[in-house]
């Protein structure tokens, strides 16, 4: 056993090893709890991700349909000129939040889904079809922003789950067993030394 070459069979070394084993076992327990908690969080996020992905697909289909109707009835030129008239761009603020020790993004969006009067183009010169198309795309952008936050969070959680799993496995299958072997080796050597000393004392006494 290679570990035997790096340890001294002394009582002080045995005490240190026992401390390391206790510390490693405590760390292993905490990491397992963290891993399990992150997996539960991931399952919750997965459900949200499925829902938002479905909503994005439905909203995209609806927005595309509304735009096609506006183009066919009002004309491509009118639709394009209306698009160029839009002034207020969406504003995004990227913040962060902590989920079980994992820093994930939090996106704050403003000026995305606006009222009819806030669109920036003249209401008189456009039809309700263009208004509906604009409204549908604004809702779509909102949902895409939500999807970006959820899917990035999911990716971050997956990365940390994998990292935590590797640490748990390293402690469970390498670090703790090796420390246990070293402890057992020292205990065995100390017992042998004790027997040798006892035998030597008996011989001296005899």
């Amino acid at each position: 056993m290679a570990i035997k070459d790096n340890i001294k069979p002394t009582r002080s070394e045995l005490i240190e090893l026992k401390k390391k084993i206790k510390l490693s076992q405590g760390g292993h327990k905490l990491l397992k709890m963290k891993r399990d908690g992150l997996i539960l969080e991931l399952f919750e996020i997965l459900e949200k991700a499925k829902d938002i992905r479905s909503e994005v697909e439905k909203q995209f289909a609806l927005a595309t349909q509304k735009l096609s109707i506006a183009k066919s009835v009002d004309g491509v030129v009118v639709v394009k000129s209306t698009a160029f008239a839009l002034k207020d761009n969406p504003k995004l603020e990227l913040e962060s939040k902590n989920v079980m020790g994992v820093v994930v993004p939090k996106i704050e969006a403003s000026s995305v889904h606006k009222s009819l009067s806030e669109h920036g183009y003249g209401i008189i010169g456009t039809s309700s079809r263009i208004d509906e198309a604009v409204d549908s795309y604004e809702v779509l952008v909102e949902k895409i922003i939500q999807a970006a936050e959820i899917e990035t969070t999911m990716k971050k959680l997956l990365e940390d789950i994998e990292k935590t799993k590797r640490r748990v496995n390293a402690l469970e299958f390498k670090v703790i067993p090796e420390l246990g072997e070293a402890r057992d080796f020292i205990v065995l050597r100390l017992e042998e030394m004790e027997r040798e000393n006892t035998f030597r004392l008996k011989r001296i006494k005899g």
Side-chain angles (χ1 to χ4, degrees), residues 135-153:
D135 187 72
S136 293
Y137 270 96
E138 285 178 347
V139 172
L140 176 61
V141 170
E142 275 192 332
K143 292 194 179 296
I144 288 170
I145 291 167
Q146 290 171 20
E149 182 181 316
I150 288 169
E151 292 190 6
T152 307
T153 299

Side-chain angles (χ1 to χ4, degrees), residues 87-171:
K87 297 173 184 175
D88 194 12
N89 293 321
K91 294 177 180 66
L92 300 179
E93 285 185 20
L94 188 60
E95 298 176 358
S96 60
K97 58 182 178 181
N98 196 303
V99 178
M100 298 284 294
V102 183
V103 178
V104 297
K106 182 176 175 61
I107 303 172
E108 292 290 340
S110 59
S111 302
V112 180
H113 191 198
K114 298 179 282 291
S115 64
L116 192 60
S117 60
E118 293 174 321
H119 284 150
Y121 56 81
I123 299 170
I124 298 169
T126 57
S127 68
S128 61
R129 289 173 293 276
I130 289 178
D131 295 334
E132 287 175 6
V134 170
D135 187 72
S136 293
Y137 270 96
E138 285 178 347
V139 172
L140 176 61
V141 170
E142 275 192 332
K143 292 194 179 296
I144 288 170
I145 291 167
Q146 290 171 20
E149 182 181 316
I150 288 169
E151 292 190 6
T152 307
T153 299
M154 191 167 65
K155 186 184 173 185
K156 292 271 186 186
L157 288 174
L158 275 168
E159 286 172 357
D160 213 81
I161 286 168
E162 283 304 312
K163 198 189 297 179
T164 308
K165 276 170 71 177
R166 284 196 296 271
R167 287 175 180 170
V168 167
N169 289 340
L171 283 168

Side-chain angles (χ1 to χ4, degrees), residues 52-68:
I52 197 69
R53 179 63 67 89
S54 176
E55 287 173 23
V56 167
E57 288 172 359
K58 286 177 185 174
Q59 190 61 34
F60 177 73
L62 178 65
T64 306
Q65 183 189 45
K66 296 283 185 186
L67 182 61
S68 297

Side-chain angles (χ1 to χ4, degrees), residues 196-206:
E196 285 170 6
N197 286 337
T198 304
F199 181 70
R200 193 179 298 110
L201 284 170
K202 283 182 178 178
R203 282 187 66 184
I204 291 166
K205 194 176 178 180

